[in-house]
Amino acid sequence: MTRFYRHCQPLLAVESICPSISLDFIYSAARRLQQPTPRPPPPSPSPPPHCRLSGEAAATELIMEIKLCFSSDSPPLAIIAAAEIAGIPLSPDSSLPAGSPPTFVFSDGLELHGTKVLLSYIGRTASIRNFYGHDALESCQMDEWIEYAPVLASGAEFEGACNYIDAYLLKRTFVVGHWFSIADIAIWAGLAGNGQRWESLRKSKKFPNLVRWFNSVSVEYSAVLNKITSTYVGKRSVGKQTGATVKGKEQASGDVGDKVEGIDLPDAEVGKVRLRFAPEPSGYLHIGHSKAGLLNQYFALRYEGQVIVRFDDTNPAKESNEFVDNILKDIKTLGINYETVTYTSDYFPKLMEMAEKLIVQGKAYVDDTPREQMQKERMDGIESRCRNNSPEENMKLWKEMIAGSERGLQCCLRGKLDMQDPNKSLRDPVYYRCNPIPHHRIGSSYKIYPTYDFACPFVDSIEGITHALRSSEYHDRNAQYYRIQEDMGLRKVQIYEFSRLNMVYTLLSKRKLLWFVQNGKVEGWDDPRFPTVQGIVRRGLQIKALIDFIVEQGASKNLNLMEWDKLWTMNKKIIDPTCPRHTAVVEGGRVMLTLTDGPEKAFVRIIPKHKKFEGAGQKATTYTRHIWIDRIDAESISVDEEITLMDWGNAIVKEIVKDENGKVVKLTGVLHLQGSVKTTKLKLTWLPETSELVNLLLVEFDYLITKKKLEEGEDFLDVLNENTKKETAALGDSNMRNLKRGEILQLERKGYFRCDVPFVRPSKPIVLFAIPDGRQQTAMK
């Protein structure tokens, strides 16, 4: 350090003469002078490729043009960001073949290759204090982090790397030392390059230290970093600035739709896309709705647009504020960001004005044909006898409908479209019906309510929606949607179709799900057997797994029937690396194993809850002479067999006692701790005989119906599963007293569980819901 300040003295003298020279330059130059072995100059008589010295009067800025060459499929974000922050101009050229390392090409023909080398070059030439380390040790640490950063680009290792960096940043402000450096930029680029996948994790609470650091960096250098991400992140042809429109099959690297072709919105303009997620408040959101919601979010992010939430509340008989509140809760759980919340009921006055306008123009008429007859006439293409009534007569009946009179209740308003069109949705659809039931938001103000077919195209247009995402089951109604907008004289909204998400053994109809709730077949809309967002989350599904699952479906228009096993397998990959391990023994099937040479006095050891994840914490394990094991394990042991007691060591069973029915009731053995765990066939979980054990209730669930897919016209009541829930009493280790509701854990050799009811008192069991692990399971018996 003495030598470092000695080098500073003449430079500080220059600074006193030329105040425009920055201290950053002085410290940077002194650091270079301090190096015992200076880097030899390039084998060229010309000046160094790039030299930027701060200070207008005391130094001359010598800048050589640098061309940054890279492959269009892998832009070097870290290099671009580091150069921008350091003020080093680069000329980008994305013409290199795929897989080529990024390259600096200088105007004199010299070249440098590879991310690490280029970042080191920028770090050495930048005038930012400690940009490449305070000393040689910090510089080497930065080299290590630059080499590590590419791990973040590996899909399989991404979350593991995030977890590692999160733990590392627990007590650190910057990646290396006490200053922002190229190491921070390298890690920032690795995260930002993952696009929406990282954005989804940022919104979760999974990596608080990493998110805190990332947010700090992003705010400090927002102008530069936002420009880089908007230009380069998420497009395959990344060498070009984002244009006014996004065409072709380039994909954003978001969580939804990534890796799926045909993911572009037609005629979408960047910055001008406005979407809506429009659930009906007649139930909670289910897994099918989540696809629609996440796709809306994906496109809004991809095109730098907006998504709004609109409640399609046009049927007061089915809707309630409870459903509104819980849908908003589910949207938050899914991580969907929206601009605002609107309601179709906000537009009831304007919808009535539009209906009256169409009546006057002869584009709509009031019909009192009985419903069943009307349906038959539509199927047969027969015009209603009311179709040619005068506008005056229609207005008279329309006012009867508004009043909710006896006469009005017999009528409905229909659009006058085309009764002979092969597309039956165009055969004079119903626009308004009488319904005297009070509305959950506006009470009894109205006696008539618009149909979805009438309200949706109107509200979409006037709310400025550019693209309406609808599942392909509505395909036949697309022509109707466009025709109604045309009759109304409104701006056309583009419809974008995607396939409905169907799951095996699953009912997604809210009417059918309501039947289970009303008939006490489930606890409520958040029952773990339900496909609702709250139901599957309560069962232990991580939202990240659901998003990854949606990724593979994307915006495909192919109808498909998906297996739950695939979703639960993805979930297991997320929870297994981090969830704590605990031990349980089935209470009604436990057998005592007495270790004759076991400890005379019980003792406790502190061991990790997860051997490969320090963040899971530690647990206290008690070792005693008498231990409990599961009967199913006891019955698989032979006399004189050596077994492994997990987290303890080996033991040899010397005696097996059975009752008159042949069931094992007691075992006796001796410890053999010097034995090798590699040679034993049985690795058994166990619990000490102690009063500190806690009562558990292990709950397993099965499908609500016994058939994979209901056929057209088949009644779900004919395929009800009568045995959908199984409860097993068990004992658990004392550490489980600290479990919190919603915490995920693994019971060794029993599977994964979610804590639904935590420890309250010894007499009340902890309730654990079994989480499927993706392996096909038979129905419960």
Side-chain angles (χ1 to χ4, degrees):
M1 289 301 293
T2 302
R3 184 172 62 182
F4 173 77
Y5 287 110
R6 186 172 69 248
H7 289 310
C8 285
Q9 296 307 311
L11 294 164
L12 289 169
V14 173
E15 192 267 342
S16 65
I17 299 171
C18 302
S20 60
I21 294 181
S22 70
L23 289 176
D24 280 341
F25 162 68
I26 293 173
Y27 290 131
S28 176
R31 189 171 66 249
R32 294 190 186 93
L33 291 171
Q34 181 192 18
Q35 295 175 355
T37 309
R39 184 179 293 272
S44 169
S46 58
H50 181 86
C51 180
R52 184 180 189 279
L53 305 178
S54 299
E56 298 175 359
T60 302
E61 197 171 31
L62 302 174
I63 301 179
M64 295 183 68
E65 180 184 353
I66 305 176
K67 180 186 287 186
L68 170 60
C69 300
F70 56 92
S71 168
S72 63
D73 63 349
S74 55
L77 300 183
I79 296 166
I80 297 169
E84 283 274 354
I85 291 172
I88 299 173
L90 299 177
S91 175
D93 178 355
S94 60
S95 61
L96 289 184
S100 301
T103 301
F104 276 171
V105 180
F106 300 97
S107 57
D108 59 2
L110 292 177
E111 296 184 1
L112 292 175
H113 304 276
T115 298
K116 180 181 176 183
V117 172
L118 270 54
L119 279 177
S120 299
Y121 173 84
I122 294 171
R124 285 185 169 91
T125 56
S127 61
I128 300 174
R129 184 184 184 189
N130 298 319
F131 203 43
Y132 193 48
H134 175 68
D135 52 29
L137 176 60
E138 285 190 357
S139 297
C140 291
Q141 287 179 305
M142 291 182 188
D143 289 340
E144 280 189 321
W145 279 106
I146 292 170
E147 289 180 350
Y148 181 79
V151 175
L152 292 165
S154 170
E157 300 179 34
F158 176 66
E159 287 211 32
C162 288
N163 185 67
Y164 171 74
I165 302 171
D166 180 73
Y168 174 82
L169 290 171
L170 176 62
K171 297 181 179 180
R172 291 177 171 88
T173 302
F174 299 104
V175 173
V176 175
H178 304 289
W179 294 271
F180 179 76
S181 70
I182 56 173
D184 294 279
I185 293 177
I187 300 301
W188 172 88
L191 295 170
N194 278 276
Q196 187 56 30
R197 185 179 185 188
W198 165 241
E199 287 303 311
S200 296
L201 285 176
R202 275 180 79 186
K203 294 164 191 166
S204 70
K205 298 180 180 179
K206 196 167 186 180
F207 306 116
N209 305 312
L210 183 58
V211 169
R212 178 255 307 158
W213 168 86
F214 186 91
N215 291 343
S216 175
V217 170
S218 299
V219 170
E220 183 70 21
Y221 300 94
S222 59
V224 170
L225 301 183
N226 288 343
K227 174 185 173 183
I228 291 170
T229 52
S230 64
T231 303
Y232 293 102
V233 174
K235 299 195 296 299
R236 291 178 178 176
S237 300
V238 289
K240 300 178 182 179
Q241 183 86 12
T242 303
T245 60
V246 181
K247 297 182 181 292
K249 292 184 179 180
E250 299 164 359
Q251 299 172 22
S253 58
D255 285 312
V256 183
D258 193 23
K259 300 180 283 190
V260 180
E261 293 189 358
I263 192 71
D264 293 308
L265 286 177
D267 303 320
E269 294 186 45
V270 173
K272 295 184 179 180
V273 168
R274 184 173 172 86
L275 309 167
R276 53 43 169 189
F277 177 45
E280 180 185 2
S282 58
Y284 290 26
L285 289 190
H286 58 56
I287 190 170
H289 300 128
S290 68
K291 178 176 181 178
L294 291 168
L295 280 176
N296 273 283
Q297 165 126 314
Y298 164 77
F299 283 123
L301 290 168
R302 171 166 166 72
Y303 292 99
E304 301 174 24
Q306 299 170 333
V307 60
I308 67 172
V309 172
R310 182 202 307 143
F311 286 100
D312 175 36
D313 55 345
T314 61
N315 189 349
K318 296 181 178 180
E319 299 156 1
S320 72
N321 288 322
E322 175 200 351
F323 295 141
V324 170
D325 294 341
N326 280 281
I327 287 173
L328 289 174
K329 176 182 177 181
D330 296 337
I331 288 172
K332 182 178 180 181
T333 298
L334 291 169
I336 297 172
N337 295 317
Y338 53 87
E339 179 201 9
T340 188
V341 175
T342 67
Y343 299 80
T344 299
S345 56
D346 294 336
Y347 301 95
F348 280 177
K350 292 183 178 180
L351 283 162
M352 290 181 65
E353 289 177 10
M354 177 56 70
E356 292 175 0
K357 176 182 177 182
L358 294 178
I359 291 172
V360 171
Q361 293 175 345
K363 295 179 180 179
Y365 62 95
V366 177
D367 194 350
D368 62 358
T369 304
R371 180 171 295 196
E372 290 184 5
Q373 181 184 339
M374 184 187 301
Q375 290 173 344
K376 186 177 187 305
E377 288 179 349
R378 289 191 69 194
M379 291 297 293
D380 297 337
I382 300 173
E383 292 187 1
S384 167
R385 58 180 176 78
C386 302
R387 196 172 197 267
N388 296 314
N389 287 347
S390 67
E392 291 76 18
E393 189 172 354
N394 286 321
M395 283 299 295
K396 181 179 178 181
L397 290 174
W398 169 251
K399 291 178 180 178
E400 293 286 344
M401 290 178 60
I402 293 174
S405 66
E406 184 177 350
R407 179 76 175 106
L409 291 172
Q410 298 170 350
C411 302
C412 68
L413 180 69
R414 296 177 67 181
K416 189 184 290 187
L417 303 184
D418 187 348
M419 284 299 295
Q420 275 67 53
D421 198 292
N423 184 340
K424 293 182 176 61
S425 75
L426 289 169
R427 296 183 181 179
D428 292 7
V430 175
Y431 284 176
Y432 262 90
R433 285 195 177 97
C434 278
N435 191 341
I437 298 176
H439 190 276
H440 68 95
R441 286 187 73 227
I442 54 181
S444 301
S445 301
Y446 295 90
K447 301 294 189 296
I448 58 171
Y449 294 94
T451 61
Y452 173 85
D453 290 338
F454 181 74
C456 185
F458 177 86
V459 180
D460 278 350
S461 185
I462 66 173
E463 282 196 331
I465 302 304
T466 60
H467 297 78
L469 273 61
R470 308 211 308 188
S471 64
S472 54
E473 64 187 304
Y474 292 103
H475 176 77
D476 289 343
R477 295 191 183 186
N478 291 351
Q480 179 200 84
Y481 179 96
Y482 291 134
R483 172 65 186 275
I484 292 175
Q485 280 187 342
E486 181 183 340
D487 279 2
M488 291 176 173
L490 298 175
R491 175 187 57 85
K492 182 179 179 181
V493 177
Q494 288 265 21
I495 292 176
Y496 185 88
E497 290 185 339
F498 61 91
S499 65
R500 175 185 168 118
L501 181 61
N502 296 304
M503 306 296 294
V504 296
Y505 300 107
T506 303
L507 300 170
L508 293 179
S509 162
K510 285 188 281 189
R511 176 181 61 82
K512 295 172 183 176
L513 294 177
L514 181 62
W515 180 90
F516 283 90
V517 175
Q518 292 178 337
N519 287 275
K521 299 292 184 181
V522 293
E523 296 176 7
W525 286 92
D526 66 343
D527 190 282
R529 291 162 289 190
F530 256 20
T532 55
V533 172
Q534 292 187 37
I536 56 180
V537 167
R538 190 177 173 202
R539 195 169 180 180
L541 186 78
Q542 304 298 290
I543 291 300
K544 174 67 170 58
L546 179 58
I547 292 175
D548 287 347
F549 186 70
I550 297 296
V551 163
E552 298 197 5
Q553 313 311 312
S556 168
K557 295 174 177 61
N558 298 321
L559 294 175
N560 45 25
L561 187 65
M562 303 302 299
E563 297 281 348
W564 282 98
D565 289 343
K566 186 172 185 178
L567 177 57
W568 291 116
T569 297
M570 298 170 84
N571 192 62
K572 176 185 174 182
K573 291 179 180 178
I574 293 172
I575 63 178
D576 179 74
T578 59
C579 72
R581 272 54 171 165
H582 290 277
T583 305
V585 171
V586 175
E587 187 172 19
R590 54 188 168 123
V591 176
M592 182 172 289
L593 167 58
T594 299
L595 301 168
T596 56
D597 59 345
E600 290 286 347
K601 185 177 180 181
F603 66 91
V604 176
R605 286 179 183 160
I606 305 300
I607 63 174
K609 290 181 180 178
H610 191 309
K611 293 181 174 62
K612 297 181 180 179
F613 177 55
E614 186 177 345
Q618 296 180 316
K619 61 182 178 181
T621 300
T622 302
Y623 298 81
T624 62
R625 175 174 292 193
H626 303 290
I627 62 175
W628 294 109
I629 65 173
D630 280 308
R631 174 169 283 118
I632 192 171
D633 290 332
E635 292 178 345
S636 63
I637 302 172
S638 304
V639 175
D640 292 327
E641 181 176 2
E642 186 167 0
I643 61 174
T644 296
L645 301 173
M646 294 172 63
D647 293 328
W648 193 348
N650 285 6
I652 299 173
V653 175
K654 294 297 185 179
E655 181 184 9
I656 301 175
V657 179
K658 299 182 180 180
D659 63 13
E660 61 275 10
N661 297 317
K663 286 187 176 182
V664 177
V665 294
K666 186 169 64 173
L667 300 170
T668 304
V670 294
L671 290 170
H672 188 238
L673 301 181
Q674 66 273 28
S676 173
V677 299
K678 296 180 180 179
T679 61
T680 56
K681 181 177 67 174
L682 299 176
K683 276 75 174 176
L684 308 183
T685 49
W686 56 275
L687 287 174
E689 186 195 26
T690 170
S691 60
E692 294 299 312
L693 300 181
V694 294
N695 292 312
L696 306 177
L697 188 64
L698 310 182
V699 187
E700 301 173 72
F701 300 100
D702 202 354
Y703 301 117
L704 291 171
I705 58 175
T706 58
K707 191 171 183 180
K708 272 194 171 185
K709 180 184 179 183
L710 291 181
E711 303 302 329
E712 187 80 26
E714 188 171 6
D715 192 342
F716 73 96
L717 296 176
D718 295 334
V719 291
L720 290 182
N721 186 354
E722 298 298 333
N723 187 17
T724 62
K725 185 176 181 180
K726 178 183 177 182
E727 298 180 345
T728 303
L731 294 175
D733 65 69
S734 60
N735 302 277
M736 297 170 73
R737 294 171 183 265
N738 299 319
L739 287 174
K740 295 180 176 61
R741 189 174 194 270
E743 187 172 346
I744 305 295
L745 66 146
Q746 183 188 54
L747 294 181
E748 300 269 20
R749 299 177 60 236
K750 284 182 170 57
Y752 303 93
F753 292 81
R754 175 192 172 275
C755 178
D756 192 65
V757 179
F759 180 83
V760 178
R761 56 183 179 273
S763 60
K764 186 176 176 63
I766 298 171
V767 180
L768 302 179
F769 287 170
I771 305 173
D773 59 9
R775 292 179 294 184
Q776 189 68 42
Q777 298 178 1
T778 58
M780 294 183 303
K781 298 178 180 179

